[in-house]
Amino acid sequence: MRIGIGHDTHRLGPDRPLILGGLKIEHPRGLVGHSDADVVLHALTDALLGAAGLGDIGDAYPDTDPKYKDCDSRVFVVESLQRIKDKGYRLVNVDLTIFAQEPKLGPIKARMREHLAAMLGLPVDAVNVKAKTGEKVGAIGRAEAIGCHVAVLIDTI
């Protein structure tokens, strides 16, 4: 068994949709980045790649590559899952924490958990989604950014 840890943070900005965990969330601002800036899926991608010793999201999907401009981050997760399978591993479980002062994520955690489980081919109870505020401290607490930490466990096939 191997453990991977991922993290990502993006600032919130105007004229962008807010995408978290592959879901479009109603909010007046979205995350700014080269792709769709989905911090949940970016952190998940990093955790998957890290667990298998395959580097990080910047190595695999550099923001200098125009083909990833406005890319749906589900592509990164699906491709990373295939990369770990190609190395002889399977995903066992995912535990993630989203850090956001706004929007309030409590009402969408269950839907995100189900969506992620389906995307990852895992039972719902193998995916855990938690949400924390920034307690009005720092960029997250001032609602200027959203972050996410993810831990995954992989095992040999």
Side-chain angles (χ1 to χ4, degrees), residues 35-106:
S35 66
D36 64 8
D38 184 332
V39 294
V40 173
L41 298 187
H42 290 189
L44 177 57
T45 299
D46 259 351
L48 291 168
L49 294 171
L54 294 170
D56 64 29
I57 193 170
D59 298 329
Y61 309 101
D63 64 6
T64 55
D65 190 331
K67 77 177 177 181
Y68 300 121
K69 178 74 176 145
D70 298 323
C71 184
D72 182 332
S73 294
R74 289 178 286 200
V75 169
F76 306 152
V77 173
V78 170
E79 288 183 8
S80 296
L81 276 173
Q82 187 59 52
R83 288 177 186 208
I84 70 168
K85 286 178 186 171
D86 291 346
K87 278 198 78 173
Y89 295 104
R90 67 179 178 85
L91 181 60
V92 176
N93 77 301
V94 174
D95 185 35
L96 68 90
T97 305
I98 306 166
F99 298 89
Q101 192 66 38
E102 60 179 54
K104 295 298 181 199
L105 298 174

Side-chain angles (χ1 to χ4, degrees), residues 20-21 23 25 96 98 104-118 123-125 127-131:
L20 292 173
L23 300 175
I25 310 299
L96 68 90
I98 306 166
K104 295 298 181 199
L105 298 174
I108 65 154
K109 289 189 308 182
R111 184 168 58 112
M112 185 180 296
R113 183 180 188 194
E114 291 170 2
H115 178 75
L116 289 170
V124 173
D125 69 353
V127 176
N128 193 52
V129 175
K130 302 178 299 284

Side-chain angles (χ1 to χ4, degrees), residues 12-18 25-30 102-103:
L12 286 159
D15 304 320
R16 297 271 302 189
L18 178 57
I25 310 299
E26 288 303 316
H27 194 267
R29 295 178 295 152
E102 60 179 54

